[in-house]
Amino acid sequence: MTPRQIYVVDDNHEFRDSLRFWLEGFGCQVRDWGDPRDALQSLARVAVGTTWPESTCLMLDVRMPELSGLDLHDALRERGIHLPVIYMSGHADVPLAVAAMQKRGAVSLLEKPLDDVALSAALDRAFAPTDVDAGMDAEVEGSREEFERRSQTLSPRERQVLSLVVKGLMNKNIADEIKLSLKSVELYRSRGMRKMKARSVTELTRIMVSRRA
């Protein structure tokens, strides 16, 4: 079996070392960069005359000083480099999550510190065959049915509040938008998140975006 090749771009040296240790412990081959501009140059050189194996993916930090993960992803695509991408962020920036997963087709967005189970699941999605078989289709359809089932348990107010949460609004802004007290918004948000079984805003966004895919 061809080992998984993972390219990591993150400006935090300690985080890269920790992630490399975890990935290599599971038999992955890892190459990492702290400067996204260096990563762009290196990957562009490798891409010349290269057919990327299916067991290759990118893990990009969303926020970096010289070049964001989103901009790096765009620059790579402009050069004909199309690889599965997992975004990572310590900022839980919901609008960025939506842009990453909808516009750029990212596999997933993970919050730092990374959860082992979520990371493993994201890698499995990144390395899944392009031609999805009937079993996978059934699994996806089952996930959508589960989303619909959970969504139907939401009250109109809970659904309204969650839709604004996914758009990136803070509780205070939501309260001003729909003319409710801050305490009421917090209550509707908490109930809605619990009904949707989302442990974080990023996870809620991932659920919503996957449903629209």
Side-chain angles (χ1 to χ4, degrees):
M1 179 182 294
T2 303
R4 292 176 169 182
Q5 174 70 59
I6 302 176
Y7 297 117
V8 177
V9 187
D10 192 293
D11 60 332
N12 186 312
H13 177 73
E14 292 182 356
F15 174 80
R16 291 200 316 276
D17 283 349
S18 176
L19 180 57
R20 171 188 282 275
F21 179 80
W22 191 95
L23 293 170
E24 290 181 341
F26 282 85
C28 300
Q29 294 182 351
V30 182
R31 184 176 180 186
D32 63 87
W33 296 268
D35 189 326
R37 296 169 299 184
D38 292 340
L40 178 59
Q41 291 179 359
S42 297
L43 291 172
R45 284 197 298 268
V46 172
V48 177
T50 296
T51 300
W52 298 97
E54 291 184 356
S55 56
T56 305
C57 85
L58 292 164
M59 296 187 68
L60 308 178
D61 186 23
V62 169
R63 291 185 182 273
M64 292 180 282
E66 294 83 8
L67 191 70
S68 75
L70 305 182
D71 291 336
L72 174 58
H73 191 180
D74 289 341
L76 290 170
R77 294 197 305 171
E78 288 172 0
R79 289 161 174 77
I81 302 172
H82 300 281
L83 293 171
V85 171
I86 298 170
Y87 284 118
M88 306 173 290
S89 175
H91 303 271
D93 193 320
V94 175
L96 282 180
V98 174
M101 298 185 71
Q102 288 186 317
K103 180 181 177 182
R104 295 171 176 83
V107 172
S108 187
L109 181 135
L110 302 176
E111 285 184 75
K112 296 178 181 177
L114 303 185
D115 175 79
D116 290 355
V117 175
L119 174 55
S120 180
L123 290 172
D124 286 342
R125 286 194 296 273
F127 295 120
T130 303
D131 296 326
V132 182
D133 60 21
M136 184 64 74
D137 284 339
E139 181 179 344
V140 171
E141 187 59 35
S143 298
R144 290 177 176 172
E145 290 177 359
E146 178 63 17
F147 171 88
E148 295 294 351
R149 188 189 67 76
R150 294 179 191 175
S151 182
Q152 288 171 7
T153 67
L154 297 174
S155 70
R157 277 297 193 191
E158 289 165 352
R159 185 174 291 106
Q160 183 183 31
V161 168
L162 291 188
S163 69
L164 294 173
V165 168
V166 169
K167 289 181 180 179
L169 274 67
M170 304 298 289
N171 287 349
K172 185 179 184 304
N173 302 122
I174 295 174
D176 293 339
E177 176 82 14
I178 60 178
K179 305 297 187 293
L180 285 178
S181 69
L182 180 58
K183 187 172 183 179
S184 294
V185 169
E186 291 172 346
L187 178 61
Y188 286 127
R189 174 173 173 163
S190 175
R191 286 179 178 173
M193 295 278 286
R194 187 166 59 251
K195 289 180 180 180
M196 294 303 294
K197 297 184 179 180
R199 294 168 295 180
S200 67
V201 175
T202 301
E203 186 171 343
L204 176 67
T205 303
R206 195 157 51 229
I207 293 170
M208 302 289 283
V209 171
S210 297
R211 171 61 185 88
R212 295 171 190 152

